Amino acid sequence: MKWKKYRLETTTVAEDLVSAILAELGVEGVEIEDKIPLSEEEMAEMFINIGPTIEPDDGKAYVSFYLDSEADSVAILDVLMAELKSFEEVMDLGSLKLEESLTQDEDWINNWKVYFHSFAIDDVLITPSWEKTNDHKNYRHVIEIDPGTAFGTGKHETTNLCIRALKDYVKPGMQMLDIGIGSGILGLMALKFGATKVIGTDLDEQALYVTKENMEKNHIPIEDYEVLIGNLIDDEQLLKYVGTKEYQIITANIIAEVLVEMMPRVKELLAPGGIYITSGILNEKEELVSTAIRANGMKILEVNHQGEWTLIVATN
């Protein structure tokens, strides 16, 4: 199959925003090019040696992503640009010049795998299926996960923050709702930490298949989870199926503006005394989301940061 590759010129301060909007639109596997020097930790994780950056950081960044050439890419691009334009007054977005080219599946579907290696989050080891490790005895949980084209290996700061919060708040017997389930990693972790049932929603049908594969890899029975496609904000039929006041824990790792719009639904779906774990929030958007949480009668229990990202834990 042929795919269209798009390369968007933006800025280093906006590259995470662009990636987050694309993820919300169901576009995954983005590539980011910039001149920001790699940290020592990032250098240690690379599969090749990379020399020092010759050119100084000029603030420019390029975000590349792929769309099925048969799909309605025009609609996706229109939404992307409209979303970005709404941030023009608060963030330098750069030129937003878009280049287009054509590529084949083999150019990118599997090549990214060389960048994803086993890594640990405290006492949890997360490893791709194609990389075997004998280091199991040093960890409480070993999770095998393949992100496919759905977001979520656990390595991104927002997912990392959510996993640590789940370790603290999941109790045996809890039922969980994961809004934007992606690869299924948060639901999978919750089940490993003691939850008995996970319902996940997503806009991208790919989440159905990737979540199923990852659950099977980790020996999670099919009756312990369910993935539903749709938008809880405006899909009344989905909302009715999901039910109200059933979830002791809800997770949402989505961009801040969507989290704000989602808050009344979260309030409606969270059981009394339940826990709401939310990330995908750029640090400068923390107040926007925390204000929406409080406006819906919920209490913030803690706020954590990692890099440019914020996680908020709240209860009703």
Side-chain angles (χ1 to χ4, degrees):
M1 179 186 291
K2 292 184 177 181
W3 295 75
K4 286 185 179 179
K5 177 181 179 179
Y6 296 91
R7 186 172 184 257
L8 180 70
E9 181 177 311
T10 183
T11 63
T12 53
V13 296
E15 61 187 29
D16 283 331
L17 173 66
V18 175
S19 300
I21 294 173
L22 286 168
E24 180 60 24
L25 291 170
V27 179
E28 308 298 346
V30 300
E31 302 169 4
I32 296 177
E33 305 167 63
D34 58 36
K35 296 176 183 175
I36 298 175
L38 293 174
S39 67
E40 291 184 7
E41 180 182 6
E42 289 170 328
M43 287 289 288
E45 293 174 353
M46 298 303 290
F47 70 107
I48 58 174
N49 291 324
I50 297 179
T53 301
I54 298 175
E55 297 180 86
D57 177 22
D58 57 5
K60 285 186 179 180
Y62 297 88
V63 180
S64 297
F65 55 96
Y66 302 84
L67 299 175
D68 183 346
S69 60
E70 302 299 323
D72 188 6
S73 57
V74 174
I76 292 175
L77 295 174
D78 285 346
V79 174
L80 170 64
M81 290 303 182
E83 289 277 354
L84 289 173
K85 293 289 185 183
S86 69
F87 288 90
E88 280 185 323
E89 294 184 4
V90 296
M91 183 180 294
D92 179 10
L93 300 173
S95 71
L96 297 183
K97 179 182 176 182
L98 194 65
E99 300 175 1
E100 179 182 329
S101 59
L102 204 62
T103 186
Q104 297 279 356
D105 277 356
E106 58 268 24
D107 293 336
W108 66 279
I109 283 290
N110 290 307
N111 292 347
W112 61 271
K113 291 182 178 181
V114 298
Y115 297 99
F116 180 28
H117 302 291
S118 299
F119 66 98
I121 302 176
D122 301 329
D123 60 354
V124 177
L125 180 67
I126 297 177
T127 180
S129 62
W130 59 87
E131 184 174 287
K132 301 305 178 184
T133 176
N134 297 317
D135 202 20
H136 294 191
K137 62 180 182 297
N138 295 323
Y139 298 93
R140 182 181 177 188
H141 299 288
V142 177
I143 305 300
E144 188 174 291
I145 188 162
D146 292 350
T149 57
F151 180 78
T153 64
K155 200 160 194 177
H156 191 273
E157 288 93 335
T158 59
T159 317
N160 201 302
L161 284 164
C162 287
I163 290 172
R164 285 195 162 97
L166 286 169
K167 283 183 61 182
D168 290 338
Y169 288 99
V170 171
K171 300 293 186 293
M174 279 186 165
Q175 293 192 81
M176 172 176 146
L177 173 65
D178 186 13
I179 303 172
I181 195 168
S183 66
I185 188 167
L186 295 186
L188 171 57
M189 296 308 309
L191 291 165
K192 290 292 186 179
F193 294 151
T196 56
K197 182 75 175 183
V198 169
I199 301 291
T201 67
D202 207 286
L203 302 180
D204 186 355
E205 288 191 8
Q206 185 71 16
L208 289 168
Y209 313 110
V210 179
T211 295
K212 183 175 185 292
E213 290 174 2
N214 287 324
M215 292 292 187
E216 288 176 348
K217 284 183 175 73
N218 292 278
H219 313 294
I220 301 295
I222 193 168
E223 61 268 19
D224 288 356
Y225 69 94
E226 184 174 6
V227 181
L228 307 166
I229 302 303
N231 190 338
L232 280 172
I233 294 174
D234 55 18
D235 189 334
E236 295 295 334
Q237 185 175 358
L238 176 63
L239 181 66
K240 184 177 180 180
Y241 181 85
V242 169
T244 60
K245 302 294 183 184
E246 293 185 3
Y247 304 98
Q248 291 80 34
I249 194 160
I250 294 179
T251 51
N253 188 9
I254 310 173
I255 61 174
E257 287 70 22
V258 177
L259 293 173
V260 170
E261 195 173 1
M262 186 72 68
M263 271 311 305
R265 295 303 200 200
V266 171
K267 174 68 175 178
E268 183 178 354
L269 292 165
L270 192 63
I275 297 295
Y276 178 44
I277 297 171
T278 183
S279 191
I281 308 163
L282 287 164
N283 289 337
E284 57 264 32
K285 297 291 182 179
E286 176 184 331
E287 188 59 32
L288 176 68
V289 178
S290 61
T291 297
I293 288 173
R294 293 190 183 99
N296 280 271
M298 297 180 67
K299 176 185 176 182
I300 293 176
L301 298 178
E302 63 176 288
V303 177
N304 295 314
H305 301 94
Q306 189 171 337
E308 297 178 302
W309 301 93
T310 298
L311 171 134
I312 300 174
V313 180
T315 189
N316 57 8

